[in-house]
Structure formats: C-alpha cells, structure tokens
Amino acid sequence: MTIRGPHPVWWAMIRVSARRVHIYRAGMMFWMIRSMLELFLILIVWSAVYGDRESVEGIADDTLLVYLTISAIQVYILPNIIAVEVGERIETGQVATDLIRPFSFMKQMIAIQFGSSIGFAPACVLVIPAAMLVGSLELPSLTNGVAYIISFVLAYMVSTLTWLLVGLGGFWLINIGGLRALLSVASGFLSGALIPVWFMPDALRILVQLLPFQAMTFLPASIFSGQVTGTAMMVPLLVQVAWIAILIGLIGWVWARAQRKLVIQGG
Amino acid sequence: MRLATLSWELVTASIRGQMQYRLNFLIDVAFGLVFSSIGFVFIWVVLGRFDQIGGWTLSEVALLYGMRLTSHGIWTVNFSRLFAIDRIVRDGEFDRMLIRPMPMMLQLMYGSFRMATLGDLLGGIILLGVALTQVSIDWSVGKLILLACALVGGAMLDGAFQLGPAAMTFRTLQSMPVRGLFDDIFGRFSGYPTSIFDRSARFLLMWIVPVAFVAWVPATVLLDRPAELPFPSWLGWFSPLAGVTCIAIAGWLFVHESRYYQSSGS
C-alpha cells in the first residue's frame, strides 16, 4: 500500500521540532543582540567609507543601507539547523533508526528544518523592528515587493538544500562541526551580507558566483533594495531556480553514495 | 617548574587526542584561521576599493587588526579550556579540578587545548608582521616596549571579559551567551579605529566595555596620532594597564564565585 497526500508524520515531526526551538529562548535573544551588533558595525564602516558621497559606482547610500539591513535579517532567519541535525544523526548513529522509519530520511530532515523555522518565527518578528532601529528599512515598490517574496521563498529553499548537502558530508567526515562552522562564518561573506557583490573585486566575485550562498542573500536583497528592477529581476530569480535544480541533483548523487558509506559506531 | 611540565603534558596529550580524527583536526585549525581572518578580509576588500576609513589607511587598520588578533590569540591559546566552562561546571568535571594536585586556575588554562586557538595566534602574528613592514612608525625603545606590553595587555583585557562573565557559571550554570556576546564585541570592534564611531558608541567602547584599549589607544601612540585621543596623549603610554586592572578584577571574581560551586554529584 502506498500512502498518498501529506504523510501524518510530516505534521508530527514539524510540531515536535517547532516546540524544541523554545528550549533555547535565552540563547536566541543573545544571538539576536549579536546579529544587531554586527549590523551596527557594518553600517558604521560603510557610512565611514561613503563619507559625504551620496553615491558610489551607481549605488546610492540609502540603497546600500537598505540592502545591508535586509541582508542581515535574511542571514538571521534563513535555515541552517538542518546541517546540525543531519550531522548529529550520522555522528551518533541515530541515522540507523531514521533510515528504518517508513518515511524518507530527506523528508524527515526537511520536516525538522521546517518545524524549527516555524518555532523560530516569533524571533523573526522581533528582529525586523530591531533591524529597523539599528539600520534602515524602506519598503520596496509593489512589483519589487512581489518579486522579493518569490525570491525569498527560493532563498529559503536554496538555504535548506545547501545545508542539507553540508550535513550529508558527515557520511565521510563523521564529525562535520568544523566544516559547518567554517562555512557558516564564510557564508556571511560569500552571501554578500557584508560586502554587496557590486563592490567585490573580480576574483572574489567569481568565487561568490560559483557558490550557492549569494542566492540566499545577495539576490533577494538586491531586489528588495530596488537596485534591480523591472524585467531585470528575472535574472536573479532564474539563478535561484537554477541553484535549486543543481542542489537537488547534487544531493541525489551524494545520497546514493552515502548509503553505501554509512558507518554506525556502535550504539 | 614541575607545574610547567605538567601543563605541557596536558596540552600535548589533548592535541594527540584530537589528532585521532585527522581530517577534522585540519579543518579545526583551518577554521581558526578563517574565523579569525574573515573580519580582516572584510576590511581588506573594503579598503582595497575605498582607500581609507576615518583617515586610517589599509596598512594602519591592518596594524590595529593584527594587534587585536595577536592579543586574542595570546589569550585563547592560554585559556582555551574556559570555552567549555559551562559543561565543566554542569557535569561536575570541576570536582576533578578542585582535588587534583595542581592549582585550579592552571588546570583551567591548560587542562585541554583547542587547536582552533592556534589559528587565532598564527593569523594575528602574520598579519601584525606584515602590517609592521607597511606602516611608518618612528621607532624608539619605548615604542617597542609599548607594543609588547600592549599585546599582553590586550590579551588580558579581552580575557577579563571572558573570565569575569565565566564566574557567573557557578551560580547560573550558564555563561556561554554572555561570554559569546563579549567575544563578539571585542572581536568586531577592537580592530577598528574607535574614532569612526559616533559619540555615544565611542564612549561605550572606551569606558564601559573598554575595547578601544586593546589596539586603538596604543596604536595611536605608536603611529603618533595623539590628536584622536580624548585624553592627554602621554596617558596612552599606560594603556596596557587597563588590561592588568581588568584581569585582576575578573580573576578575583572567578575565584570568589567558585566558592558557590555545587557539584552535580555524578
């Protein structure tokens, strides 16, 4: 018998995961303060760099501030817990139990990520006014607003898939803590949240464009800030869709190899 | 002497342990390097494009960043176990530190070793070395001594804002968020000329969380830019004393609060 429609396990896993987020409420508060500090510093540095100039290389100072603020918010709320979940399950051997369940491992992990995002939503509502206080946020035009919402959903998918792929690295590395930390620090850079891709030197820009991180932050933020408008907005949206396709392909390929590589360390 | 050998044994044993996961071990060191240099890469890219920030050139900001990173490295290499203080207190591992024939503070310093901290120190020394060849400093014996003292003083200042908050672990069983916050403030703000901030932020960075004393105050003396300091420039020569004062208070607080330690009993 095949089960059709959303499996009830989906909802159960999402609920449990959403509730679990609240164990770390105090930690989340501090994390938010730290994110706002980072935003504060970046804004000061960029303001000092701009000095009295109103526009540098076609980027107006207002646009840049909105770009940096929305980027900081995105970095804060986009998913990455999925890498920790997958990594821990592989390291502890719990993945064996997960694999026996009559529900695909990938779906379980995505359900956990989705639940964690839902549990996390109240903090996101808090971070927006905080970011407006520290930075500056102007609402985009209607078309840019609609395009941004689409772009954000795509960014959510790119982020989930990228970190899922990182988590699967655990089948080879056993402990992915180092790799995950390395990437999450580098991603602040590679996503364009610290330096918009417009201002990057060529070598860095090429590296950034070869990695999926800019599809999580730079592309949606350039739409939100109004630097990209009209039909030109199709370019970032298509790049995001392409990344989703590439990542799904990569995950399928890695997963096929990973199952043969699995080492259960006692337990 | 015996204590020094003992410390060395503990540190090398810890390193050998981590070498068991070879690839992960390398990633840890790489992580330390990337983590500590990423802030500078940001400065590098921005100033590569825009020449100066608040009148400071790239090589001058590199000097600031190199000083702060070296200071941070000196601190973390010597106190890498403090990072895990929450777990040590919660799981009752602190029991062992109290009964072993080695001073508690020394065990806290060298009881185990995190490879990533070596990345901090390495990155800092390299950056500082390169920066020193690029900036024009009118060297004197006094300035050499100031630089050396400033690096140690910076380490003490940075560390005081880790050790001090860590003291609360004995009562609350958790200090990581607070320590992380201070680590962030020092990591992010100490590598910039404090003069680029507005008045209220500048006041905070000088007198509330004295991040400015890690690198900016001594560097203004080294670079002969006394006009930027909000106090007579001769006082800048004594900036390392800020670290000495703060670490003394933090150390006292930690030892004092450790009396409230309750073992988990396991």
Side-chain angles (χ1 to χ4, degrees):
Chain A
M1 193 186 83
T2 49
I3 298 161
R4 303 205 173 272
H7 198 292
V9 172
W10 269 107
W11 309 120
M13 293 200 82
I14 290 172
R15 256 199 323 273
V16 170
S17 171
R19 245 182 262 141
R20 211 173 38 166
V21 173
H22 293 282
I23 302 169
Y24 307 108
R25 211 174 286 163
M28 260 155 56
M29 269 312 288
F30 275 95
W31 187 29
M32 188 171 92
I33 295 172
R34 292 165 71 173
S35 304
M36 291 304 112
L37 273 176
E38 179 174 34
L39 176 61
F40 174 70
L41 177 66
I42 292 166
L43 290 172
I44 292 212
V45 168
W46 279 107
S47 305
V49 162
Y50 261 59
D52 297 328
R53 289 176 288 190
E54 273 175 12
S55 162
V56 174
E57 296 176 29
I59 313 294
D61 54 356
D62 296 342
T63 308
L64 183 68
L65 296 188
V66 172
Y67 170 91
L68 293 167
T69 310
I70 193 75
S71 296
I73 294 173
Q74 295 222 144
V75 167
Y76 185 78
I77 65 183
L78 282 176
N80 61 29
I81 195 78
I82 190 165
V84 183
E85 282 293 336
V86 176
E88 277 180 1
R89 274 150 205 273
I90 296 170
E91 193 181 359
T92 59
Q94 206 207 318
V95 65
T97 322
D98 297 330
L99 286 170
I100 298 169
R101 290 196 186 120
F103 192 59
S104 107
F105 180 70
M106 298 298 171
K107 285 184 186 164
Q108 292 177 48
M109 294 303 114
I110 290 173
I112 287 174
Q113 176 57 64
F114 200 56
S116 141
S117 293
I118 291 172
F120 196 53
C124 304
V125 176
L126 256 178
V127 84
I128 293 168
M132 285 170 80
L133 208 67
V134 175
S136 75
L137 218 50
E138 284 164 45
L139 286 182
S141 69
L142 186 65
T143 44
N144 275 57
V146 172
Y148 173 73
I149 291 169
I150 298 169
S151 185
F152 179 79
V153 172
L154 294 174
Y156 187 94
M157 291 164 76
V158 173
S159 189
T160 306
L161 293 170
T162 303
W163 291 109
L164 173 60
L165 187 62
V166 171
L168 291 178
F171 281 106
W172 287 268
L173 293 172
I174 304 299
N175 177 338
I176 60 149
L179 177 67
R180 197 183 57 79
L182 188 70
L183 279 177
S184 55
V185 169
S187 70
F189 227 89
L190 301 173
S191 67
L194 303 176
I195 301 171
V197 178
W198 311 307
F199 290 135
M200 285 182 184
D202 289 340
L204 187 60
R205 198 202 331 255
I206 290 165
L207 174 70
V208 162
Q209 284 169 346
L210 288 173
L211 293 169
F213 298 99
Q214 60 139 358
M216 301 174 198
T217 304
F218 171 69
L219 297 179
S222 62
I223 292 176
F224 187 95
S225 65
Q227 188 63 27
V228 184
T229 49
T231 47
M233 292 191 293
M234 285 309 287
V235 179
L237 292 176
L238 284 173
V239 171
Q240 287 182 301
V241 172
W243 267 115
I244 292 170
I246 293 169
L247 286 164
I248 289 175
L250 273 176
I251 288 170
W253 185 76
V254 167
W255 181 239
R257 267 144 203 81
Q259 281 167 306
R260 270 181 271 143
K261 187 78 195 168
L262 178 60
V263 180
I264 302 295
Q265 316 210 62
Chain B
M1 193 58 217
R2 198 184 61 85
L3 287 176
T5 337
L6 218 52
S7 301
W8 180 247
E9 285 295 327
L10 284 170
V11 168
T12 48
S14 174
I15 293 173
R16 278 199 305 279
Q18 292 170 70
M19 292 274 273
Q20 298 306 312
Y21 297 91
R22 200 61 56 85
L23 186 55
N24 213 37
F25 173 85
L26 288 176
I27 290 178
D28 271 356
V29 180
F31 173 64
L33 258 174
V34 170
F35 188 82
S36 55
S37 57
I38 199 94
F40 182 72
V41 174
F42 173 62
I43 298 173
W44 191 9
V45 174
V46 172
L47 290 190
R49 192 122 192 155
F50 296 95
D51 297 332
Q52 53 90 19
I53 180 167
W56 287 63
T57 62
L58 175 59
S59 42
E60 286 165 338
V61 181
L63 176 73
L64 283 184
Y65 209 91
M67 286 173 73
R68 86 133 265 260
L69 196 52
T70 308
S71 286
H72 184 66
I74 294 174
W75 165 259
T76 52
V77 160
N78 286 294
F79 269 87
S80 64
R81 202 183 193 187
L82 190 71
F83 189 76
I85 189 72
D86 290 13
R87 187 184 50 74
I88 289 171
V89 170
R90 213 179 300 145
D91 295 356
E93 196 183 319
F94 199 69
D95 286 1
R96 287 199 285 164
M97 295 170 63
L98 291 175
I99 55 175
R100 279 180 176 171
M102 186 180 182
M104 176 265 279
M105 200 55 99
L106 216 54
Q107 290 185 62
L108 188 67
M109 292 170 79
Y110 303 115
S112 74
F113 190 75
R114 279 191 311 135
M115 287 313 291
T117 61
L118 223 50
D120 288 343
L121 188 61
L122 217 68
I125 291 172
I126 294 170
L127 184 57
L128 181 62
V130 173
L132 283 174
T133 63
Q134 300 292 315
V135 292
S136 55
I137 295 179
D138 188 11
W139 284 109
S140 63
V141 180
K143 279 186 178 176
L144 270 175
I145 294 171
L146 175 64
L147 178 61
C149 292
L151 293 176
V152 178
M156 290 174 165
L157 198 54
D158 188 341
F161 280 82
Q162 294 300 306
L163 192 59
M168 70 188 263
T169 321
F170 297 112
R171 297 187 199 233
T172 64
L173 298 181
Q174 196 188 34
S175 64
M176 182 61 207
V178 183
R179 282 184 289 124
L181 179 63
F182 281 117
D183 187 48
D184 237 37
I185 295 176
F186 274 86
R188 291 194 198 291
F189 293 89
S190 60
Y192 285 93
T194 309
S195 43
I196 64 169
F197 298 97
D198 66 8
R199 264 202 24 226
S200 45
R202 215 156 51 209
F203 181 81
L204 280 172
L205 294 175
M206 290 215 68
W207 309 115
I208 309 298
V209 186
V211 167
F213 289 87
V214 173
W216 179 67
V217 174
T220 51
V221 177
L222 291 176
L223 295 165
D224 295 308
R225 315 172 65 125
E228 290 179 22
L229 291 176
F231 44 71
S233 62
W234 61 265
L235 269 170
W237 286 92
F238 297 96
S239 53
L241 290 179
V244 177
T245 315
C246 288
I247 195 75
I249 296 169
W252 174 83
L253 191 68
F254 189 86
V255 173
H256 179 267
E257 288 296 293
S258 70
R259 282 192 288 172
Y260 294 93
Y261 171 66
Q262 289 180 313
S263 175
S264 67
S266 58

CSV table of all heavy atoms in Angstrom, one decimal, chain A residues 187-232:
chain,number,residue,atom,x,y,z
A,187,SER,N,30.0,32.1,5.1
A,187,SER,CA,28.8,32.4,4.3
A,187,SER,C,28.4,33.9,4.5
A,187,SER,O,27.8,34.4,3.6
A,187,SER,CB,27.7,31.5,4.7
A,187,SER,OG,27.2,31.7,6.0
A,188,GLY,N,28.7,34.4,5.6
A,188,GLY,CA,28.5,35.9,5.8
A,188,GLY,C,29.1,36.7,4.7
A,188,GLY,O,28.5,37.7,4.2
A,189,PHE,N,30.2,36.2,4.3
A,189,PHE,CA,31.0,36.8,3.2
A,189,PHE,C,30.5,36.4,1.9
A,189,PHE,O,30.2,37.3,1.0
A,189,PHE,CB,32.4,36.3,3.3
A,189,PHE,CG,33.4,37.5,3.2
A,189,PHE,CD1,33.8,38.1,4.4
A,189,PHE,CD2,33.9,37.8,2.0
A,189,PHE,CE1,34.6,39.2,4.3
A,189,PHE,CE2,34.8,38.9,2.0
A,189,PHE,CZ,35.1,39.6,3.1
A,190,LEU,N,30.4,35.1,1.7
A,190,LEU,CA,30.0,34.6,0.4
A,190,LEU,C,28.6,34.9,0.0
A,190,LEU,O,28.2,34.8,-1.2
A,190,LEU,CB,30.2,33.1,0.4
A,190,LEU,CG,31.7,32.6,0.7
A,190,LEU,CD1,31.7,31.1,0.8
A,190,LEU,CD2,32.6,33.1,-0.4
A,191,SER,N,27.8,35.3,0.9
A,191,SER,CA,26.4,35.6,0.6
A,191,SER,C,26.2,37.0,0.2
A,191,SER,O,25.1,37.4,-0.2
A,191,SER,CB,25.5,35.2,1.8
A,191,SER,OG,25.8,36.1,2.9
A,192,GLY,N,27.2,37.8,0.4
A,192,GLY,CA,27.1,39.2,0.1
A,192,GLY,C,26.5,40.1,1.2
A,192,GLY,O,26.2,41.2,1.0
A,193,ALA,N,26.4,39.5,2.4
A,193,ALA,CA,25.8,40.2,3.5
A,193,ALA,C,26.7,41.3,4.1
A,193,ALA,O,26.3,42.3,4.6
A,193,ALA,CB,25.3,39.3,4.6
A,194,LEU,N,28.0,41.1,4.0
A,194,LEU,CA,29.0,42.1,4.5
A,194,LEU,C,29.4,43.0,3.4
A,194,LEU,O,29.5,44.2,3.7
A,194,LEU,CB,30.2,41.3,5.0
A,194,LEU,CG,30.0,40.3,6.1
A,194,LEU,CD1,31.3,39.6,6.5
A,194,LEU,CD2,29.4,41.0,7.3
A,195,ILE,N,29.6,42.5,2.2
A,195,ILE,CA,30.0,43.4,1.1
A,195,ILE,C,29.1,43.0,-0.1
A,195,ILE,O,29.1,41.8,-0.5
A,195,ILE,CB,31.5,43.1,0.7
A,195,ILE,CG1,32.4,43.4,1.9
A,195,ILE,CG2,31.9,44.0,-0.5
A,195,ILE,CD1,33.8,43.0,1.6
A,196,PRO,N,28.3,43.9,-0.5
A,196,PRO,CA,27.5,43.6,-1.7
A,196,PRO,C,28.3,43.2,-2.9
A,196,PRO,O,29.4,43.7,-3.0
A,196,PRO,CB,26.8,44.9,-2.0
A,196,PRO,CG,27.0,45.8,-0.8
A,196,PRO,CD,28.2,45.3,-0.1
A,197,VAL,N,27.8,42.2,-3.6
A,197,VAL,CA,28.6,41.7,-4.7
A,197,VAL,C,29.0,42.8,-5.7
A,197,VAL,O,30.1,42.7,-6.3
A,197,VAL,CB,27.8,40.6,-5.4
A,197,VAL,CG1,28.6,40.0,-6.6
A,197,VAL,CG2,27.5,39.4,-4.5
A,198,TRP,N,28.3,43.9,-5.8
A,198,TRP,CA,28.7,45.0,-6.6
A,198,TRP,C,30.1,45.5,-6.3
A,198,TRP,O,30.8,46.0,-7.2
A,198,TRP,CB,27.7,46.2,-6.4
A,198,TRP,CG,26.3,45.9,-6.5
A,198,TRP,CD1,25.6,45.2,-7.5
A,198,TRP,CD2,25.3,46.2,-5.5
A,198,TRP,NE1,24.3,45.1,-7.2
A,198,TRP,CE2,24.0,45.7,-6.0
A,198,TRP,CE3,25.3,46.8,-4.3
A,198,TRP,CZ2,22.8,45.8,-5.3
A,198,TRP,CZ3,24.1,47.0,-3.6
A,198,TRP,CH2,22.9,46.4,-4.1
A,199,PHE,N,30.4,45.5,-5.1
A,199,PHE,CA,31.7,46.1,-4.7
A,199,PHE,C,32.9,45.1,-4.6
A,199,PHE,O,34.0,45.5,-4.1
A,199,PHE,CB,31.6,46.8,-3.3
A,199,PHE,CG,30.7,48.1,-3.4
A,199,PHE,CD1,29.8,48.3,-2.4
A,199,PHE,CD2,30.9,49.0,-4.4
A,199,PHE,CE1,29.0,49.5,-2.4
A,199,PHE,CE2,30.1,50.1,-4.4
A,199,PHE,CZ,29.2,50.4,-3.5
A,200,MET,N,32.6,43.9,-4.9
A,200,MET,CA,33.6,42.9,-4.7
A,200,MET,C,34.7,42.9,-5.9
A,200,MET,O,34.3,43.2,-7.0
A,200,MET,CB,33.0,41.5,-4.7
A,200,MET,CG,32.3,41.2,-3.4
A,200,MET,SD,31.7,39.5,-3.4
A,200,MET,CE,30.8,39.5,-1.8
A,201,PRO,N,35.9,42.7,-5.5
A,201,PRO,CA,36.9,42.6,-6.6
A,201,PRO,C,36.6,41.3,-7.4
A,201,PRO,O,36.0,40.4,-7.0
A,201,PRO,CB,38.2,42.4,-5.9
A,201,PRO,CG,37.9,42.1,-4.5
A,201,PRO,CD,36.5,42.6,-4.2
A,202,ASP,N,37.1,41.3,-8.7
A,202,ASP,CA,36.7,40.3,-9.6
A,202,ASP,C,36.9,38.9,-9.1
A,202,ASP,O,36.0,38.0,-9.2
A,202,ASP,CB,37.5,40.5,-11.0
A,202,ASP,CG,37.0,41.7,-11.7
A,202,ASP,OD1,35.8,42.1,-11.4
A,202,ASP,OD2,37.7,42.2,-12.5
A,203,ALA,N,38.1,38.6,-8.5
A,203,ALA,CA,38.4,37.2,-8.1
A,203,ALA,C,37.3,36.8,-7.1
A,203,ALA,O,36.8,35.6,-7.2
A,203,ALA,CB,39.8,37.2,-7.5
A,204,LEU,N,37.0,37.6,-6.1
A,204,LEU,CA,36.0,37.3,-5.1
A,204,LEU,C,34.7,37.1,-5.7
A,204,LEU,O,33.9,36.2,-5.4
A,204,LEU,CB,36.0,38.3,-4.0
A,204,LEU,CG,35.2,38.0,-2.8
A,204,LEU,CD1,35.7,36.8,-2.1
A,204,LEU,CD2,35.2,39.2,-1.8
A,205,ARG,N,34.3,38.0,-6.7
A,205,ARG,CA,33.0,38.0,-7.3
A,205,ARG,C,32.8,36.6,-8.0
A,205,ARG,O,31.8,36.0,-7.9
A,205,ARG,CB,32.9,39.1,-8.3
A,205,ARG,CG,31.4,39.4,-8.6
A,205,ARG,CD,31.2,40.1,-9.9
A,205,ARG,NE,32.3,41.0,-10.3
A,205,ARG,CZ,32.3,42.3,-10.2
A,205,ARG,NH1,31.2,42.9,-9.7
A,205,ARG,NH2,33.3,43.0,-10.5
A,206,ILE,N,33.9,36.2,-8.7
A,206,ILE,CA,33.7,34.9,-9.4
A,206,ILE,C,33.5,33.8,-8.5
A,206,ILE,O,32.6,32.9,-8.6
A,206,ILE,CB,35.0,34.7,-10.3
A,206,ILE,CG1,35.0,35.7,-11.5
A,206,ILE,CG2,35.0,33.3,-10.9
A,206,ILE,CD1,36.3,35.8,-12.2
A,207,LEU,N,34.3,33.7,-7.4
A,207,LEU,CA,34.1,32.7,-6.4
A,207,LEU,C,32.7,32.7,-5.8
A,207,LEU,O,32.0,31.7,-5.7
A,207,LEU,CB,35.1,32.9,-5.2
A,207,LEU,CG,35.0,32.0,-4.0
A,207,LEU,CD1,35.4,30.6,-4.4
A,207,LEU,CD2,35.8,32.5,-2.9
A,208,VAL,N,32.2,33.9,-5.5
A,208,VAL,CA,30.9,34.0,-4.9
A,208,VAL,C,29.8,33.5,-5.9
A,208,VAL,O,28.9,32.9,-5.5
A,208,VAL,CB,30.7,35.5,-4.5
A,208,VAL,CG1,29.2,35.8,-4.4
A,208,VAL,CG2,31.4,35.8,-3.3
A,209,GLN,N,30.0,33.8,-7.2
A,209,GLN,CA,29.0,33.4,-8.2
A,209,GLN,C,29.0,31.9,-8.5
A,209,GLN,O,28.1,31.4,-9.0
A,209,GLN,CB,29.2,34.3,-9.4
A,209,GLN,CG,28.6,35.7,-9.2
A,209,GLN,CD,28.9,36.7,-10.3
A,209,GLN,OE1,29.8,36.4,-11.1
A,209,GLN,NE2,28.3,37.8,-10.3
A,210,LEU,N,30.1,31.3,-8.1
A,210,LEU,CA,30.2,29.8,-8.3
A,210,LEU,C,29.6,29.1,-7.1
A,210,LEU,O,29.5,27.8,-7.1
A,210,LEU,CB,31.7,29.4,-8.5
A,210,LEU,CG,32.3,29.8,-9.8
A,210,LEU,CD1,33.8,29.4,-9.8
A,210,LEU,CD2,31.6,29.1,-11.0
A,211,LEU,N,29.2,29.8,-6.0
A,211,LEU,CA,28.7,29.1,-4.8
A,211,LEU,C,27.3,29.5,-4.6
A,211,LEU,O,26.8,30.6,-5.1
A,211,LEU,CB,29.6,29.5,-3.6
A,211,LEU,CG,31.0,28.9,-3.6
A,211,LEU,CD1,31.8,29.6,-2.5
A,211,LEU,CD2,31.0,27.4,-3.5
A,212,PRO,N,26.5,28.7,-3.9
A,212,PRO,CA,25.1,29.0,-3.8
A,212,PRO,C,24.7,30.1,-2.8
A,212,PRO,O,23.6,30.5,-2.7
A,212,PRO,CB,24.5,27.7,-3.3
A,212,PRO,CG,25.6,27.0,-2.6
A,212,PRO,CD,26.9,27.4,-3.3
A,213,PHE,N,25.7,30.6,-2.0
A,213,PHE,CA,25.4,31.4,-0.8
A,213,PHE,C,24.8,32.8,-1.3
A,213,PHE,O,23.9,33.3,-0.6
A,213,PHE,CB,26.6,31.7,0.1
A,213,PHE,CG,27.0,30.4,0.7
A,213,PHE,CD1,28.1,29.7,0.2
A,213,PHE,CD2,26.4,29.9,1.8
A,213,PHE,CE1,28.5,28.5,0.7
A,213,PHE,CE2,26.8,28.7,2.4
A,213,PHE,CZ,27.9,28.0,1.8
A,214,GLN,N,25.2,33.3,-2.4
A,214,GLN,CA,24.7,34.6,-2.9
A,214,GLN,C,23.2,34.5,-3.2
A,214,GLN,O,22.5,35.5,-3.2
A,214,GLN,CB,25.5,35.1,-4.0
A,214,GLN,CG,25.5,34.2,-5.2
A,214,GLN,CD,25.3,35.0,-6.6
A,214,GLN,OE1,25.2,36.2,-6.6
A,214,GLN,NE2,25.3,34.2,-7.7
A,215,ALA,N,22.8,33.3,-3.6
A,215,ALA,CA,21.4,33.1,-4.0
A,215,ALA,C,20.5,33.1,-2.7
A,215,ALA,O,19.3,33.2,-2.8
A,215,ALA,CB,21.2,31.7,-4.7
A,216,MET,N,21.1,33.0,-1.5
A,216,MET,CA,20.4,33.1,-0.3
A,216,MET,C,20.2,34.6,0.2
A,216,MET,O,19.2,34.9,0.8
A,216,MET,CB,21.1,32.4,0.9
A,216,MET,CG,21.3,30.9,0.6
A,216,MET,SD,22.4,30.3,2.0
A,216,MET,CE,23.0,28.8,1.2
A,217,THR,N,21.1,35.4,-0.1
A,217,THR,CA,21.1,36.7,0.5
A,217,THR,C,21.2,37.9,-0.6
A,217,THR,O,20.3,38.7,-0.7
A,217,THR,CB,22.2,36.9,1.5
A,217,THR,OG1,22.1,35.9,2.5
A,217,THR,CG2,22.1,38.2,2.2
A,218,PHE,N,22.3,37.8,-1.3
A,218,PHE,CA,22.5,38.9,-2.3
A,218,PHE,C,21.4,39.1,-3.3
A,218,PHE,O,20.9,40.3,-3.5
A,218,PHE,CB,23.8,38.7,-3.0
A,218,PHE,CG,24.1,39.7,-4.1
A,218,PHE,CD1,24.3,41.1,-3.8
A,218,PHE,CD2,24.0,39.3,-5.4
A,218,PHE,CE1,24.5,42.0,-4.8
A,218,PHE,CE2,24.2,40.3,-6.5
A,218,PHE,CZ,24.4,41.6,-6.2
A,219,LEU,N,21.0,38.0,-3.9
A,219,LEU,CA,20.0,38.2,-5.0
A,219,LEU,C,18.6,38.7,-4.4
A,219,LEU,O,18.1,39.7,-5.0
A,219,LEU,CB,19.8,36.8,-5.7
A,219,LEU,CG,21.0,36.3,-6.4
A,219,LEU,CD1,20.8,35.0,-7.1
A,219,LEU,CD2,21.5,37.3,-7.4
A,220,PRO,N,18.1,38.1,-3.3
A,220,PRO,CA,16.8,38.7,-2.8
A,220,PRO,C,17.0,40.2,-2.3
A,220,PRO,O,16.2,41.0,-2.6
A,220,PRO,CB,16.4,37.8,-1.7
A,220,PRO,CG,17.3,36.7,-1.7
A,220,PRO,CD,18.4,36.9,-2.7
A,221,ALA,N,18.2,40.4,-1.7
A,221,ALA,CA,18.4,41.8,-1.1
A,221,ALA,C,18.5,42.8,-2.2
A,221,ALA,O,18.1,44.0,-2.0
A,221,ALA,CB,19.6,41.8,-0.2
A,222,SER,N,19.1,42.4,-3.4
A,222,SER,CA,19.3,43.4,-4.4
A,222,SER,C,17.9,43.7,-5.0
A,222,SER,O,17.7,44.9,-5.5
A,222,SER,CB,20.2,42.9,-5.5
A,222,SER,OG,19.8,41.7,-6.1
A,223,ILE,N,17.0,42.8,-4.9
A,223,ILE,CA,15.6,43.1,-5.4
A,223,ILE,C,14.9,44.0,-4.4
A,223,ILE,O,14.3,45.0,-4.7
A,223,ILE,CB,14.8,41.8,-5.6
A,223,ILE,CG1,15.4,41.0,-6.8
A,223,ILE,CG2,13.3,42.1,-5.8
A,223,ILE,CD1,14.7,39.7,-7.0
A,224,PHE,N,15.0,43.6,-3.1
A,224,PHE,CA,14.3,44.4,-2.0
A,224,PHE,C,14.8,45.8,-2.0
A,224,PHE,O,14.0,46.8,-1.9
A,224,PHE,CB,14.6,43.7,-0.7
A,224,PHE,CG,13.8,44.3,0.4
A,224,PHE,CD1,12.6,43.8,0.8
A,224,PHE,CD2,14.2,45.5,1.1
A,224,PHE,CE1,11.8,44.4,1.9
A,224,PHE,CE2,13.5,46.0,2.1
A,224,PHE,CZ,12.3,45.5,2.5
A,225,SER,N,16.1,46.0,-2.2
A,225,SER,CA,16.6,47.4,-2.0
A,225,SER,C,16.3,48.2,-3.3
A,225,SER,O,16.6,49.4,-3.3
A,225,SER,CB,18.2,47.3,-1.8
A,225,SER,OG,18.8,46.8,-2.9
A,226,GLY,N,15.8,47.6,-4.3
A,226,GLY,CA,15.4,48.4,-5.5
A,226,GLY,C,16.6,48.6,-6.5
A,226,GLY,O,16.5,49.4,-7.4
A,227,GLN,N,17.8,48.0,-6.2
A,227,GLN,CA,18.9,48.1,-7.1
A,227,GLN,C,18.6,47.4,-8.5
A,227,GLN,O,19.1,47.8,-9.5
A,227,GLN,CB,20.2,47.6,-6.5
A,227,GLN,CG,21.4,47.9,-7.2
A,227,GLN,CD,21.7,49.4,-7.4
A,227,GLN,OE1,21.2,50.2,-6.5
A,227,GLN,NE2,22.4,49.8,-8.4
A,228,VAL,N,17.8,46.3,-8.4
A,228,VAL,CA,17.4,45.6,-9.6
A,228,VAL,C,15.9,45.8,-9.8
A,228,VAL,O,15.2,45.7,-8.8
A,228,VAL,CB,17.7,44.1,-9.5
A,228,VAL,CG1,17.4,43.4,-10.8
A,228,VAL,CG2,19.2,43.9,-9.1
A,229,THR,N,15.5,46.3,-10.9
A,229,THR,CA,14.0,46.5,-11.1
A,229,THR,C,13.5,45.9,-12.5
A,229,THR,O,14.4,45.5,-13.3
A,229,THR,CB,13.7,48.0,-11.1
A,229,THR,OG1,14.6,48.6,-12.0
A,229,THR,CG2,13.8,48.6,-9.7
A,230,GLY,N,12.2,45.9,-12.6
A,230,GLY,CA,11.6,45.5,-13.9
A,230,GLY,C,11.9,44.1,-14.3
A,230,GLY,O,12.1,43.2,-13.5
A,231,THR,N,12.1,43.9,-15.6
A,231,THR,CA,12.3,42.6,-16.2
A,231,THR,C,13.7,42.1,-15.8
A,231,THR,O,13.9,40.9,-15.7
A,231,THR,CB,12.2,42.5,-17.7
A,231,THR,OG1,13.0,43.6,-18.2
A,231,THR,CG2,10.8,42.7,-18.1
A,232,ALA,N,14.6,43.0,-15.4
A,232,ALA,CA,15.9,42.6,-15.0
A,232,ALA,C,15.9,41.7,-13.7
A,232,ALA,O,16.8,40.9,-13.4
A,232,ALA,CB,16.8,43.8,-14.7
